Amino acid sequence: MPVKKFGLSVDEKTYQAAKEVVESGAYRNMSHLFEEGAKRIIQEELTKKSQVNPYEALASL
C-alpha cells in the first residue's frame, strides 16, 4: 500500500497524551495512533453526510 508522508503539528498536551497512549502499547507508534484517529473522524463525517442525503455520501467516496 502506498504511503503519503506529511508533517503534523499538535500542541504539547496532545503530544504528551498521544505519547502515553502509544507507550501503553495500544498503538504501534504515533503514526498508527493519528491514522486511526483520522479514520474515525472520516467515518463520523461520512455518517453525518449519509444521514442528510445518502446519495451525496456515496458520491464522496
Side-chain angles (χ1 to χ4, degrees):
M1 174 171 81
V3 175
K4 300 288 183 183
K5 292 185 178 186
F6 67 96
L8 178 68
S9 298
V10 296
D11 67 39
E12 187 64 27
K13 288 182 181 180
T14 301
Y15 176 80
Q16 288 301 325
K19 184 178 173 186
E20 289 176 16
V21 171
V22 171
E23 288 174 349
S24 76
Y27 294 89
R28 292 186 305 271
N29 52 39
M30 292 290 237
S31 292
H32 185 215
L33 172 76
F34 283 103
E35 183 171 3
E36 291 301 312
K39 287 178 183 177
R40 288 183 188 183
I41 292 169
I42 292 165
Q43 186 59 47
E44 288 175 10
E45 292 300 317
L46 290 174
T47 299
K48 286 179 194 177
K49 285 182 180 181
S50 68
Q51 290 173 355
V52 175
N53 183 340
Y55 298 107
E56 286 181 23
L58 289 174
S60 69
L61 295 177

